[in-house]
């Protein structure tokens, strides 16, 4: 629900609440007003009735006085009766008191004269032996009187006449002049007899009935409220109806204030509910948004995770493939090395074989010429050549042996000697000088004999390649025992063109046509070195040439020795 719609609903709700509560609040206010008016009227009415009762008693008492009874019986007024009535009137504040004969003649009187038909209906009633009361008929301009008539009984019974007591109504009016509420007493005919506002009875009123209350709308009065609630009470004892007018304006104002309070409270409560709902709605929205974000993020993470898992699997596969490829390379490298070796051996064996042939021919010639000592010398040379060839072939066998042999303790000096035998012929042919370490005590390292030979052969061959065709070509192989054992191959060639790439498989700066230019030698050597816990590094020297270093773990046997 939108904000505007909420406000509209709230307004309609408040209107409905107002429409429902107003009659209740208004009715309750009028009820309270009526209660108060009724109590005020009771008070006023009781005061009036008891006052009038006193005058009635006075009339009854006066009718009992012997002088009065005597005058009535005589049918003529007496000074004595007149004085009595005068005293009573003075003491009780009666406006008029008189003794009237059965035929209506006034026998004795106190106070101003009354009209020609003094008494009227009350008198008629008294002459029947009952108590009469009512508004006196007075001459125009005379004060208005309320009249009581008490019968004067003969000592033996029978009505001799009546005593009439006239109460000055104007004086009674004054009793309530100061009363806050307008009130009046009227005859059954509707004539306003007593009132505390002169306007009462003179102004036009319109009656409006509201919830069992009599309301009057009064126009054009100065002393009277515009709208009044009218409380009424019949006063049978005096034959009047009392009415009191209570201004409804304060009651309506109070009811309005209450209504305003109710509406304000409802508005606040409604607004709180609406804003509370709005906040709840906002919170729910925020929560839903957050949930969506979390879901989206979770999906992203899941996808990323799946991607990673895939990548890891791919990497594993790539690693396995690389390992396989490297194994293949090692295998290929071995084959290449074998090829190299075979080529080297071809040269190496060819030369002693040729020498053996010529020494053998020499020996035969010396024997023919009868010079056995020269023949023996030649035979000795032959045997030396044979020994040398045997050594070369041993190397070849070792080279061809299975390479998966476990790491063992190897004498590094023997490895160096074997490699030196292999490359000696080539070095000599190219006029390069190769320095080998001084022969001495074995240096034991961890490794594989053939693999170590392969690594060293590769390093020395590379060095010879580097110095080939140079003046003063020189390669130097050094060994330093310790932990690790260091074997270095140094040359005075041009240096490594790209040291960062030389261990890459198939990286070669050499002619592709050459058997050795496969670019596998260093990568295989590097791998072989690490296969027995060693390390192969290479760098250029500041004064030219390259230096390769093979670090090897010393043999445990040496440590134990
Ligand atoms: P190949 O010898 O078949 O080229 P290698 O892996 O043994 O393969 O050598 C790779 C490359 O490293 C050589 O082509 C060469 O450029 C460089 N290199 C190796 N040893 C030396 C060296 N001693 N001096 C200069 N460059 C060298």
């Amino acid at each position: 629900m939108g904000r505007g719609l909420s406000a509209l609903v709230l307004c309609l709700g408040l209107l409905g609440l107002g429409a429902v509560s107003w009659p209740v609040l208004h009715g309750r206010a009028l009820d309270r007003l009526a209660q108060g008016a009724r109590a005020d009227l009771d008070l006023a009415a009781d005061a009036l009735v008891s006052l009038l009762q006193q005058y009635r008693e006075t009339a009854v008492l006066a009718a009992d006085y012997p002088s009065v009874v005597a005058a009535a019986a005589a049918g003529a007024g007496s000074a004595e009766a007149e004085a009595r009535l005068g005293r009573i009137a003075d003491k009780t504040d009666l406006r008029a008191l008189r003794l009237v004969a059965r035929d209506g003649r006034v026998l004795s009187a106190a106070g101003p004269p009354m009209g020609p038909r003094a008494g009227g209906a009350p008198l008629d009633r008294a002459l029947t032996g009952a108590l009469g009361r009512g508004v006196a008929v007075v001459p125009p301009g005379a004060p208005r009187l309320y009249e009581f008539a008490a019968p004067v009984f003969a000592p033996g019974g029978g009505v001799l006449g009546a005593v009439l007591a006239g109460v000055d109504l104007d004086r009674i009016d004054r009793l309530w002049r100061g009363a806050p509420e307008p009130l009046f007493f009227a005859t059954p005919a509707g004539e306003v007899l007593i009132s505390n506002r002169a306007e009462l009875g003179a102004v036009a009123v319109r009656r409006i009935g509201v919830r069992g209350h009599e309301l009057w709308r009064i126009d054009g009065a100065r002393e009277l409220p515009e709208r009044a609630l009218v409380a009424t009470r019949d006063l049978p004892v005096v034959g009047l109806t009392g009415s009191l007018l209570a201004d409804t304006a304060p009651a309506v104002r109070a009811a309005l204030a209450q209504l305003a309070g109710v509406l304000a409270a409802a508005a606040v409560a409604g607004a709180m509910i609406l804003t509370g709902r709005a906040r709840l709605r906002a919170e729910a929205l925020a929560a839903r948004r957050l949930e969506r974000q979390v879901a989206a993020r979770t999906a992203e993470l899941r996808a990323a995770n799946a991607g990673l898992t895939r990548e890891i699997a791919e990497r594993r596969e790539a690693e396995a493939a690389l390992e396989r490829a490297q194994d293949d390379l090692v295998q290929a490298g071995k084959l290449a090395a074998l090829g190299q070796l075979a080529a080297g051996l071809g040269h190496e064996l060819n030369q002693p074989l040729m020498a053996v042939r010529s020494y053998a021919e020499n020996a035969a010639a010396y024997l023919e010429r009868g010079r056995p000592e020269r023949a023996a010398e030649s035979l000795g040379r032959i045997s030396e050549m044979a020994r040398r060839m045997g050594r070369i072939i041993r190397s070849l066998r070792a080279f061809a042996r299975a390479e998966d042999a476990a790491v063992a303790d190897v004498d590094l000096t023997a490895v160096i000697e074997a490699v030196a035998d292999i490359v000696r012929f080539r070095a000599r042919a190219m006029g390069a000088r190769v320095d080998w370490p001084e022969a001495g005590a074995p240096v034991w390292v961890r490794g594989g004999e053939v693999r170590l030979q392969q690594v060293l052969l590769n390093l020395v061959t590379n060095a010879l390649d580097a110095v080939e065709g140079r003046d003063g070509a020189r390669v130097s192989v050094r060994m330093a025992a310790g932990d690790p054992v260091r074997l270095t191959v140094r040359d005075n060639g041009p240096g490594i063109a790209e040291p960062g790439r030389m261990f890459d498989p198939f990286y070669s700066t050499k002619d592709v046509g050459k058997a050795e230019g496969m670019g596998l030698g260093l990568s295989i050597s590097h791998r072989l070195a690490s296969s027995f816990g060693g390390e192969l590094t290479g760098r250029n020297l500041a004064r030219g040439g390259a230096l390769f270093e093979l670090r090897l773990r010393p043999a445990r046997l040496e440590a134990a020795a």
Side-chain angles (χ1 to χ4, degrees), residues 458 462 466 491 495-496 507-510 516-519 521-522 546 548:
N458 187 246
N462 277 345
D491 64 69
I496 308 154
Y507 170 74
S508 176
T509 56
K510 296 167 193 172
E516 65 272 11
M518 277 177 68
L522 280 184
F548 283 82

Side-chain angles (χ1 to χ4, degrees), residues 340 426 465 468 508 510-519:
Q340 255 180 344
R426 184 185 169 200
D465 286 345
E468 189 162 26
S508 176
K510 296 167 193 172
D511 286 347
V512 187
K514 281 193 170 182
E516 65 272 11
M518 277 177 68

Side-chain angles (χ1 to χ4, degrees), residues 408-501:
D409 293 339
V410 178
D411 176 13
L412 194 54
T413 57
V415 171
I416 292 167
E417 209 174 312
V419 174
D421 277 341
I422 296 171
V423 299
R424 187 165 292 128
F425 175 77
R426 184 185 169 200
R428 199 183 301 143
M430 23 176 299
R433 180 176 145 195
V434 182
D435 295 330
W436 298 97
E438 298 283 320
V443 174
W444 294 98
V445 295
R446 299 291 293 162
E449 189 172 5
V450 179
R451 283 172 286 176
L452 271 175
Q453 278 181 16
Q454 194 177 340
V455 173
L456 183 57
L457 176 65
N458 187 246
L459 294 181
V460 176
T461 308
N462 277 345
L464 287 174
D465 286 345
V467 298
E468 189 162 26
R470 291 190 153 238
D471 290 338
R474 194 167 160 187
V475 173
S476 131
V477 180
R478 297 249 151 87
M479 182 183 66
D483 190 1
V485 175
R486 292 169 197 272
L487 183 66
T488 56
V489 180
R490 176 191 297 195
D491 64 69
N492 60 353
I496 308 154
E498 289 174 279
R501 291 186 60 196

Side-chain angles (χ1 to χ4, degrees), residues 85 121 138 153 183 213 243 256 297-298 325 358 383 443 453 457 505 560:
L85 293 181
V138 294
F153 290 106
L183 60 85
H213 298 295
S243 299
L256 277 175
R297 193 82 190 95
T298 307
S358 61
S383 131
V443 174
Q453 278 181 16
L457 176 65

Side-chain angles (χ1 to χ4, degrees), residues 66 69 107 114 118 142 167 211 217 220 333 343 361 401 423 450 452 454 467 470 542 560:
V69 175
L107 302 176
M114 297 166 82
V167 181
R211 283 174 53 93
R217 198 195 150 110
E361 281 168 4
R401 221 162 37 213
V423 299
V450 179
L452 271 175
Q454 194 177 340
V467 298
R470 291 190 153 238

Side-chain angles (χ1 to χ4, degrees), residues 291-353:
E291 260 170 45
R292 272 203 303 276
Q293 281 172 352
V294 167
R297 193 82 190 95
T298 307
E300 267 171 37
L301 284 174
R302 203 172 290 140
N305 197 24
L308 271 180
T309 313
R310 215 167 34 242
E311 211 165 290
I312 289 171
E314 280 168 10
R315 260 165 203 267
R316 287 228 179 93
E317 206 156 296
E319 259 171 43
L322 187 65
E323 226 160 279
R324 273 198 306 277
Q326 280 177 336
D327 286 345
D328 291 350
L329 280 179
V330 171
Q331 212 54 38
K334 270 190 264 176
L335 288 174
L338 263 176
Q340 255 180 344
L341 194 69
L345 275 172
H347 286 291
E348 200 73 6
L349 291 177
N350 200 37
Q351 195 260 349
L353 270 176

